[in-house]
Amino acid sequence: MRPFLLALAVLAHIAFSFAHVPFYGDNATSSGIVAKVPIYRRGGIVYNPEWISNMSRFNEVLKSSLKRYSRSKRELHGNQVVRKAISLSEKLAAIGEDGSWYANVELGNPGQKVEFDIDMTSSDFWVESTTSVRGTRFEARNSQSYVSKDRLGFEDCVESLDSLVLGDKKFNVEFAHCNPPRASLRTLDPSGSIMGLAHSSLSQTSLPHFFENAKEKRKLADSIFAIEFKNDFSGVLSFGGLARYHDEPLFAPVKCTGFWQVLFKTVLLNGNLIQSNILGTIDMTSPFVLAPAEDVRMIYNAISGSEPLGNGFWSYPCSENPKIHLEYAGWWFPFKDSSLGKVKEYSDYCVGPLVEADLDGRWVIGEPFLRNVVTVFDFGRNSVGLRSL
């Protein structure tokens, strides 16, 4: 596709937007509520296009991301492909990892402040109380509303019920509460919690999915949650609707239930077609865009002067300033960031946002793209909506 064709499409979209500007999302309605929760990046900014890249930190965060994606498998259910969790003796992800996104919530009655980490690769709600001074510890004995139920198939974990406050909204939630003994190495890990926001097929505990359970009890206004970045280190996670008014997002169906995996029709580099029909998993917890090695190399080879840096990362002359767009639901959305920062001080080379990763041929669409959009995840329609900020 030529650049002038992309320009014509942009002008057509702008004209349509002025002619028809619906709003999407609302505050509390008569049929339910919208809970809005500030979210933060643990450890602060992972990358900034204006800074020197911290390759050591990049590699650690990449390693953590790949580990999360290794804990599921594809299965065919009838004529539908579904992602299922691989049976493990431990929870799906570590708590309190550097670079993870988290929210401050109140758990129990009276409320105890607990940080919950957001996980887009699982659907379980875990709370872990260790003896470590790190993290935020939940003391079940100090909550008047805590109920302990059946023991789960995970060491030192029990099915639990208590109240949870998100923003200023209260919910009753079921979760796995884990108390590793002092003799266990796990008790050296930080205390805290993990809230999985993927589909329930990725559950290891078989407990009711928080989001679906809240909707069934008519607590939420709609069967959606949304994520919007404010800047490099903070954003808003909303349940039941959007945190603020937006034009109606463009939706496309989920292609493989489990992860929020959708189809991007084309990839454009400087207005020219580079790739077609890629399956991308939307994951706001990834500070990179991950893709198969052959796809990444094809894109960087089309940028003059590009060079591999190792461990899947690439660099290119900063002066090239590549413009990358993904076509989604009939519209071309640009990357927010085409650089993760300079390779080193006084260098003329920048680290690219696309990173090689072996993920069964699929892409993971992370922050460099998602910072430019509000992303809406719709359980009811099993679809994902995007809208430019």
Side-chain angles (χ1 to χ4, degrees), residues 293-358:
E294 58 271 26
D295 292 353
V296 172
R297 293 167 189 170
M298 184 180 298
I299 291 172
Y300 284 118
N301 286 336
I303 302 173
S304 179
S306 294
E307 298 176 351
L309 287 174
N311 202 28
F313 290 91
W314 282 69
S315 67
Y316 64 85
C318 300
S319 58
E320 289 293 315
N321 191 24
K323 306 297 184 185
I324 307 172
H325 289 73
L326 300 181
E327 183 187 356
Y328 184 77
W331 180 242
W332 289 273
F333 292 89
F335 273 47
K336 171 68 173 178
D337 301 311
S338 59
S339 165
L340 301 178
K342 291 195 173 184
V343 172
K344 57 185 178 181
E345 192 172 7
Y346 305 120
S347 173
D348 293 327
Y349 272 72
C350 290
V351 180
L354 287 143
V355 182
E356 297 177 19
D358 182 10

Side-chain angles (χ1 to χ4, degrees), residues 127-129 138 140 146 152 156-160 175-179:
V127 176
E128 184 150 275
S129 300
F138 172 68
Y146 177 81
L152 296 170
D156 309 312
C157 299
V158 296
E159 180 182 350
S160 303
F175 56 94
H177 187 208
C178 305
N179 285 276

Side-chain angles (χ1 to χ4, degrees), residues 81-251:
V81 179
V82 176
R83 276 270 163 190
K84 301 283 287 186
I86 296 173
S87 296
L88 299 168
S89 59
E90 60 181 26
K91 57 187 182 300
L92 277 174
I95 288 173
E97 286 192 312
D98 178 52
S100 57
W101 284 88
Y102 72 95
N104 292 307
V105 302
E106 288 190 1
L107 186 61
N109 180 28
Q112 301 176 39
K113 292 190 180 299
V114 177
E115 294 178 355
F116 79 62
D117 294 9
I118 299 166
D119 185 7
M120 303 294 289
T121 63
S122 73
S123 62
D124 291 312
F125 187 12
W126 298 83
V127 176
E128 184 150 275
S129 300
T130 72
T131 60
S132 171
V133 297
R134 296 182 297 151
T136 52
R137 179 181 172 87
F138 172 68
E139 292 283 3
R141 63 186 177 183
N142 293 339
S143 173
Q144 299 172 10
S145 52
Y146 177 81
V147 177
S148 176
K149 302 173 78 173
D150 297 330
R151 182 164 294 277
L152 296 170
F154 296 88
E155 188 176 4
D156 309 312
C157 299
V158 296
E159 180 182 350
S160 303
L161 178 69
D162 212 333
S163 62
L164 172 72
V165 176
L166 297 174
D168 59 351
K169 313 300 182 186
K170 182 177 284 189
F171 303 84
N172 291 320
V173 294
E174 292 185 67
F175 56 94
H177 187 208
C178 305
N179 285 276
R182 290 181 179 274
S184 169
L185 289 176
R186 283 174 51 212
T187 201
L188 301 176
D189 294 338
S191 295
S193 66
I194 293 176
M195 179 172 281
L197 294 176
H199 285 265
S200 57
S201 65
L202 288 171
S203 172
Q204 287 211 61
T205 65
S206 298
L207 296 178
H209 191 292
F210 158 75
F211 186 86
E212 294 171 332
N213 193 39
K215 178 58 182 173
E216 284 176 6
K217 294 180 178 178
R218 301 189 179 278
K219 277 277 191 177
L220 296 175
D222 205 348
S223 58
I224 66 172
F225 71 93
I227 294 171
E228 179 178 339
F229 292 99
K230 286 186 173 180
N231 48 43
D232 298 343
F233 55 86
S234 67
V236 179
L237 169 64
S238 56
F239 296 89
L242 274 67
R244 62 191 180 100
Y245 288 113
H246 287 278
D247 293 350
E248 186 168 358
L250 299 174
F251 280 88

Side-chain angles (χ1 to χ4, degrees), residues 7-19 250 330-331 333 387-388:
L8 286 175
V10 171
L11 290 173
H13 182 76
I14 292 174
F16 175 79
S17 296
F18 277 111
L250 299 174
W331 180 242
F333 292 89
R387 190 71 189 190
S388 295

